[in-house]
Amino acid sequence: MPTTQELIAISPEIILALWALSVMFLDLLIAQSRKSILAYWSLLGLLLAGGAEFSLWGREEILFQGAFVQDNLSLFLDLVLLLATGLSLLMAKGYIKDLEMEHGEYYTLTLFATLGGMLMAGAGDLLIVFLGLEVLSLSLYVLSGFRRTEPMAQEASLKYFLLGAFASGFLLYGIALVFGSTGTTLLGGIAVAITEGGLLGDPLLLLGLGLLGVGLSFKVALVPFHMWTPDVYEGAPTPVAGYMSVVAKAAGFAAALRIFLSAFLQLAGDWTLLLSLLALLTMSGGNIIALAQSNMKRLLAYSSIAHAGYILLGVIALNSWGLSSVLFYLAAYGFMNLGAFAVIVALRDGEREYLALNDYAGLGSRHPLLALSMAIFMLSLAGVPPTAGFLAKFYIFGAAVQAGYGWLAILAVLNSVLAAFYYLRVIVIMYMREPAGQVAKMTHSPALALAIFLAVIGTVQLGLFPAAVVELAQASLFPFLGS
Amino acid sequence: MVPVANYLILSAVLFTIGVLGVLIRRNAIVIFMSIEIMLNAANLAFIALADAKGSLAGQVFVFFVLAVAAAEVAVGLAIIVAISRQQGTIDVDEINLLKW
């Protein structure tokens, strides 16, 4: 039986799970014309769960015989996840109504997906990693095909599902082999077994770790496991694409941090080499293909791939600076990327979405505020000071240099220069190019405006006054590195 | 008593069959079945290794995998049915509105 203390420590997850169920139940009672109540109800749930996270800050709880860990690392990541979910719900409210897919399940699935991500962030056992990943993925498969009569959405959903389930197979087989080598699935237990059993060179363990890595790489879309990303982002509803780009990535990196830090730290020599190769492929591949994109959603998809490569640098660096910069990067990335997606959501005329890059021509004079926000997000994604993206990149590259990966940091900087080209092109098109026909229309909605406003505030705030968040991020890693 | 190595070899063979099935076959249902073979190959490895290690954790894991696989079937078949109704095909080469 769980003790009261355990139940209190895991209360954010419990609140979110109950809230998701309550949304499903309320959906039955609310008339179709008033479904947007559910959006506010879900946001309330997110706020409550976030409040519970705050009240738990500073505690380090190991729950259920080590299966779940509620420490600052999981709380920080949970807060990023909850914030991203909140922003995406604000974006989705009007969007799903206009596109005639306003069903209560949208909110239920979003909340469950976030719950899955939170489980991954606090996992102390490979079983919990697997279950969290599946809760997250299964919800996302459905969400990406939420416009179920739209052929593009169906295709996105099918591709995501088949490749996601394929990746889960690899992950699971990897877990089985790791279990076979160490005799446990507890992350802490694995580390102990590696030390005590002298398993450093055990082929079963290394193969298992490799397969685990492949499975996780699929989920966070590292090159060469990224093929699904642009297709799924393009076909999925825009708020879902934005949600996926942040939440699935943050959750995947959370699980990777947990697994690599708690269980396989002794094998660091083996996996850092492999990951640095993956990081190089991911940044370069993502950025080079992004140069050729003419669709905004595909552009952001490739840009999100490239960003995963930058984040990987912090994991490879494996010092306290690098790991806290991973957390900072995820927070900054959450604001700027969701903000960019929110602008795409805003640029819409009822059902018609303006997704081509050329549709953005003339935006600067026609919708100055929207264009300004987009410009801020693009500058931040490109890493121009004084935005959050600049500091995030600065910290992460600095950590890589400090850890002796100077060559990788130089290549990453060159990559950012390359990336600046396509981000700045969006700004150039918005401000300097005359529209060919009509200027894209904009949908006015208070919730959407709030989402963009919050994202702008977050992006600028983290760029100008990062100290508070950096301190939180560093406090999150205290138990692991103790510096 | 069958040695553990034999089970592991069988599970590796099954896993490979599953992976090849996903890569080679073009029918969405058959691809999905191949994925299920991969999951079950992992299950077999779990059970054999749990027995060899004398730890129940591996067997418990299998129950969770079974539950997850069932949920995956529910979601996956629903997606495939929706596509087959609308587009009249479940050949993944013909479902190509988005560039791969």
Side-chain angles (χ1 to χ4, degrees):
Chain A
M1 274 298 285
T3 61
T4 324
Q5 195 203 354
E6 284 177 327
L7 288 178
I8 291 173
I10 203 175
S11 58
E13 280 80 3
I14 294 179
I15 291 173
L16 206 61
L18 291 178
W19 220 268
L21 291 172
S22 80
V23 172
M24 201 151 59
F25 182 70
L26 282 176
D27 182 36
L28 299 172
L29 306 176
I30 292 178
Q32 184 63 44
S33 55
R34 302 173 65 196
K35 288 284 190 224
S36 55
I37 296 174
L38 290 174
Y40 298 117
W41 181 250
S42 311
L43 285 170
L44 181 65
L46 292 176
L47 279 179
L48 283 178
E53 307 270 6
F54 265 115
S55 68
L56 289 169
W57 185 262
R59 295 189 12 184
E60 201 197 337
E61 304 269 4
I62 295 170
L63 314 166
F64 311 111
Q65 283 89 45
F68 197 80
V69 187
Q70 196 78 287
D71 54 12
N72 285 353
L73 175 61
S74 43
L75 295 176
F76 185 94
L77 286 162
D78 287 355
L79 284 173
V80 172
L81 295 177
L82 290 172
L83 209 71
T85 312
L87 286 178
S88 91
L89 284 185
L90 286 175
M91 284 153 60
K93 192 178 83 67
Y95 183 91
I96 59 174
K97 186 169 192 162
D98 288 349
L99 274 74
E100 284 165 9
M101 50 174 181
E102 194 178 31
H103 310 292
E105 287 82 2
Y106 185 96
Y107 303 109
T108 313
L109 287 167
T110 309
L111 293 186
F112 271 129
T114 309
L115 176 66
M118 284 163 65
L119 287 178
M120 285 166 81
D125 191 313
L126 289 174
L127 177 62
I128 306 295
V129 173
F130 176 69
L131 289 178
L133 186 74
E134 288 299 321
V135 171
L136 171 70
S137 304
L138 283 171
S139 312
L140 285 179
Y141 302 149
V142 182
L143 280 175
S144 56
F146 208 73
R147 260 185 112 184
R148 60 190 165 86
T149 50
E150 179 67 36
M152 290 240 275
Q154 291 175 342
E155 187 180 331
S157 182
L158 181 72
K159 279 179 178 169
Y160 193 26
F161 169 72
L162 288 179
L163 289 176
F166 189 50
S168 298
F170 279 98
L171 184 86
L172 192 64
Y173 206 75
I175 296 177
L177 295 185
V178 169
F179 170 72
S181 172
T182 60
T184 175
T185 52
L186 279 174
L187 295 180
I190 291 171
V192 172
I194 292 175
T195 317
E196 288 181 354
L199 296 171
L200 277 180
D202 187 21
L204 206 58
L205 184 70
L206 291 178
L207 190 61
L209 179 58
L211 288 173
L212 240 167
V214 170
L216 282 177
S217 305
F218 254 108
K219 296 290 171 182
V220 297
L222 301 182
V223 177
F225 310 106
H226 68 290
M227 306 80 75
W228 55 271
T229 320
D231 289 351
V232 173
Y233 283 17
E234 190 185 353
T238 312
V240 174
Y243 176 80
M244 268 164 57
S245 75
V246 174
V247 170
K249 211 153 280 212
F253 273 105
L257 280 181
R258 286 270 175 217
I259 292 173
F260 288 135
L261 285 183
S262 315
F264 296 107
L265 201 54
Q266 289 123 304
L267 291 172
D270 293 313
W271 55 259
T272 44
L273 185 68
L274 209 63
L275 285 190
S276 48
L277 194 67
L278 275 181
L280 182 59
L281 276 177
T282 306
M283 333 184 259
S284 320
N287 280 329
I288 290 171
I289 309 177
L291 288 174
Q293 298 306 316
S294 57
N295 177 305
M296 215 40 213
K297 273 159 100 178
R298 288 185 87 86
L299 181 108
L300 283 178
Y302 283 108
S303 121
S304 84
I305 293 172
H307 281 277
Y310 302 141
I311 299 174
L312 211 49
L313 244 59
V315 182
I316 297 164
L318 209 66
N319 48 24
S320 65
W321 193 6
L323 296 167
S324 59
S325 62
V326 169
L327 299 183
F328 184 80
Y329 205 111
L330 285 173
Y333 173 76
F335 280 118
M336 59 199 188
N337 215 45
L338 271 170
F341 273 102
V343 173
I344 302 180
V345 171
L347 218 55
R348 166 168 62 82
D349 183 14
E351 260 193 56
R352 176 172 177 350
E353 288 189 87
Y354 296 94
L355 296 175
L357 220 47
N358 288 333
D359 288 339
Y360 285 69
L363 209 64
S365 51
R366 187 77 173 71
H367 307 296
L369 273 179
L370 193 68
L372 181 66
S373 331
M374 191 59 159
I376 291 174
F377 299 135
M378 287 296 136
L379 288 175
S380 180
L381 283 166
V384 176
T387 53
F390 166 72
L391 276 180
K393 277 207 179 76
F394 177 74
Y395 286 140
I396 229 159
F397 296 169
V401 171
Q402 195 194 34
Y405 288 94
W407 60 277
L408 205 54
I410 291 173
L411 288 168
V413 171
L414 289 178
N415 251 298
S416 320
V417 175
L418 188 67
F421 175 75
Y422 61 82
Y423 292 126
L424 295 181
R425 192 173 60 184
V426 175
I427 299 179
V428 168
I429 288 177
M430 282 194 307
Y431 284 102
M432 298 184 184
R433 190 176 296 174
E434 288 300 314
Q438 259 193 327
V439 179
K441 287 207 173 66
M442 176 184 162
T443 300
H444 294 275
S445 129
L448 190 54
L450 180 65
I452 297 178
F453 178 70
L454 288 176
V456 169
I457 296 281
T459 308
V460 176
Q461 167 87 19
L462 283 185
L464 293 176
F465 309 103
V469 178
V470 171
E471 269 167 32
L472 283 184
Q474 271 164 355
S476 308
L477 288 157
F478 184 70
F480 292 95
L481 301 155
S483 56
Chain B
M1 186 68 192
V2 184
V4 187
N6 291 16
Y7 285 112
L8 285 185
I9 291 169
L10 176 62
S11 103
V13 169
L14 281 174
F15 189 76
T16 314
I17 291 175
V19 172
L20 287 179
V22 173
L23 297 177
I24 294 170
R25 300 301 292 267
R26 299 286 64 152
N27 181 307
I29 299 257
V30 178
I31 293 180
F32 186 37
M33 278 159 59
S34 305
I35 292 170
E36 292 290 312
I37 294 178
M38 288 167 65
L39 294 184
N40 282 313
N43 282 348
L44 183 62
F46 263 122
I47 294 174
L49 292 166
D51 192 45
K53 291 277 170 189
S55 149
L56 273 179
Q59 308 213 8
V60 173
F61 212 112
V62 171
F63 281 108
F64 283 99
V65 176
L66 289 177
V68 165
E72 238 164 40
V73 170
V75 169
L77 289 185
I79 294 171
I80 296 174
V81 166
I83 289 192
S84 126
R85 278 196 188 151
Q86 184 104 14
Q87 309 184 18
T89 176
I90 50 168
D91 187 318
V92 290
D93 283 338
E94 288 176 34
I95 303 169
N96 55 2
L97 283 171
L98 306 160
K99 298 173 275 180
W100 266 99

